[in-house]
Amino acid sequence: MDDATTSTDIRLREGASIAQRLVMSGFAAAVALCFTPGLFTRDVLEIVISVVALLVGAGFVVGIMMAPAVVWIITPSEILIGQQRPFFGKLRTRVVPKDDIRELQVPGNKRVKARFQLAFTLASGERLTSPPISDVTHVHDTVTRIATQFGVPNVEAPRNPLDASNPEMHLGEPIEPFPAREIYIVALIAVAVSAVPYAYKLWRGLPPGPIDIALLPAGAIAAFVVYRYANLVTGAFWIIRQSDIRVERLWGDGSLRADHIEGRDVKTITVERRGRSEDEHCIVVIRLHSGRRFRSPRIGSRAEARAVAVEIVRRLGIAAESNKF
C-alpha cells in the first residue's frame, strides 16, 4: 500500500493479503466450530444456537475471503481503478478521465485520525472514494499535486498532525490528568463492590466466608491503586521535531513527565502491531542504547506506521543499521 513518490503515478491499494484473509477466516471458523457440540444434544434451544453460530461464522468466512482488493493508479491524465476478488472473479477495471472530475475532497477517518482518502465528484454527480493514502506524512503534498494536475479548484488540505510539512509532528492527543472527583468515585466503587458479599452475608444472618473476608482488604488495595496510579493509564503524547522527540506522560499524581529522544540515543526503531489488526493497530517502537523502550500511540496500518517511522529516521538522523522496519 505504498504511494509512488518517485514517479508521475500515485498508487493506492486497499485489501488484506491472502495470509491475513486466511488467518481471519481461520479465527472466525474456529469460534463457530466451538458451538458444534450443541448440534448433538436433544435441547432445541442449543441446536438453534449452534446452527445460528455456524451460519454466522460461515458468513464471516465468506465475507472475508470474498472482499475485493482495490488498486487506484492516479496519473496526470486519468485515474485507473482495478478491482478483483482474490479467489473468484476476473479483474474489473475502470478509467476515469481527467475531464470528468469536478471536485476533490479529503475526508478523514472517524476511527483512525491519521488516515485520509480522496473523494472525487464526477460530472455525472457520482462520488468515488479512493483507498487510504498510506504515506500519511505527505498528505498535503499528495493532495496539492493531484488537485494541480487535474485542475480542481478550492481543494482544502486536511488537518494532518503527522504531515512532514509541519515543524512539529504530533502522535496521540495532549494528555491531561483525570479529575480528582472521578478518581475518588472509582475508588469508592472498588471499595463498595468488594464489601457487597460481606454485607450480604451479615444481612442474611450468615457467617462470612474466607473469600468474603479476603475481598475487604482486596477492595481497599484496589482503591489505593486507583487513587495512586490512575493517571499512569492516560497514555503518551509524542512531539516529533527536527532533532529530537519529546515524549509526554503523567506520573501517578498527575504531574507531567517529559522524556527527550535524540538520534544518537537510538539503538533500533521498528514498526510493531499492538492489537488485533495490522490495518489499525500498528505503532512505532524506539529502543535506546540505555535499554529503555518507547512505544508510540497507535498510528494505523503497517504502511502508515512505516511512513511515520521513515520521517522520524529523517528528522533524527538515525543510522541506517538501526532501521528495522
Side-chain angles (χ1 to χ4, degrees):
M1 293 177 62
D2 294 328
D3 307 334
T5 57
T6 58
S7 68
T8 58
D9 298 346
I10 297 174
R11 297 175 181 268
L12 305 174
R13 294 182 175 89
E14 185 174 36
S17 65
I18 300 298
Q20 290 175 327
R21 293 172 190 266
L22 291 175
V23 170
M24 291 186 291
S25 299
F27 178 77
V31 173
L33 290 175
C34 291
F35 291 87
T36 53
L39 296 174
F40 305 100
T41 66
R42 297 184 179 180
D43 191 317
V44 176
L45 179 60
E46 288 191 16
I47 294 175
V48 171
I49 293 175
S50 299
V51 171
V52 171
L54 289 173
L55 291 176
V56 171
F60 271 108
V61 172
V62 172
I64 292 169
M65 301 305 287
M66 293 286 290
V70 181
V71 178
W72 279 39
I73 303 176
I74 304 175
T75 72
S77 59
E78 63 186 14
I79 302 175
L80 176 61
I81 302 174
Q83 181 174 321
Q84 184 178 29
R85 301 185 187 279
F87 300 101
F88 310 95
K90 61 180 182 180
L91 176 66
R92 294 189 298 169
T93 61
R94 177 181 179 181
V95 177
V96 180
K98 170 183 176 179
D99 296 336
D100 284 355
I101 298 174
R102 294 292 180 268
E103 295 181 8
L104 170 60
Q105 295 176 323
V106 190
N109 188 288
K110 294 182 179 180
R111 292 185 303 173
V112 185
K113 292 185 177 181
R115 180 166 295 174
F116 304 94
Q117 295 173 283
L118 304 171
F120 294 91
T121 302
L122 306 185
S124 62
E126 182 182 2
R127 185 181 174 92
L128 297 176
T129 302
S130 76
I133 300 174
S134 59
D135 190 353
V136 292
T137 62
H138 291 87
V139 173
H140 184 273
D141 291 343
T142 301
V143 172
T144 302
R145 175 181 166 189
I146 294 173
T148 300
Q149 68 186 26
F150 285 167
V152 183
N154 304 322
V155 178
E156 183 178 353
R159 181 182 175 275
N160 179 17
L162 295 178
D163 207 288
S165 61
N166 301 331
E168 293 183 349
M169 295 169 56
H170 294 168
L171 273 178
E173 298 291 338
I175 53 177
E176 295 181 356
F178 290 118
R181 182 170 176 268
E182 294 183 4
I183 295 178
Y184 292 147
I185 290 175
V186 174
L188 289 175
I189 290 175
V191 172
V193 169
S194 65
V196 165
Y198 187 88
Y200 177 78
K201 289 292 183 65
L202 293 180
W203 178 65
R204 295 295 302 271
L206 301 174
I211 296 179
D212 303 323
I213 297 174
L215 285 176
L216 295 178
I221 294 173
F224 173 78
V225 170
V226 170
Y227 173 77
R228 185 69 179 83
Y229 301 107
N231 287 304
L232 294 179
V233 301
T234 53
F237 178 54
W238 282 31
I239 303 174
I240 306 169
R241 297 177 288 209
Q242 186 57 42
S243 58
D244 74 326
I245 300 176
R246 176 182 169 91
V247 180
E248 295 183 353
R249 291 175 293 183
L250 295 180
W251 293 104
D253 60 0
S255 59
L256 182 66
R257 171 186 177 182
D259 294 290
H260 291 269
I261 304 173
E262 297 184 2
R264 62 174 180 268
D265 302 327
V266 177
K267 181 179 180 181
T268 60
I269 176 170
T270 59
V271 172
E272 297 180 4
R273 185 181 69 184
R274 193 175 189 182
R276 298 163 295 172
S277 170
E278 284 195 359
D279 293 331
E280 296 183 4
H281 296 84
C282 287
I283 61 173
V284 173
V285 179
I286 295 179
R287 295 175 177 83
L288 306 185
H289 292 289
S290 63
R292 297 185 64 186
R293 179 182 302 181
F294 291 87
R295 293 181 174 88
S296 76
R298 190 184 69 178
I299 299 172
S301 68
R302 180 169 291 276
E304 292 162 346
R306 188 179 185 278
V308 173
V310 168
E311 182 61 21
I312 291 176
V313 168
R314 188 190 69 80
R315 291 196 175 200
L316 269 59
I318 298 174
E321 59 269 17
S322 299
N323 305 341
K324 305 297 182 182
F325 52 85

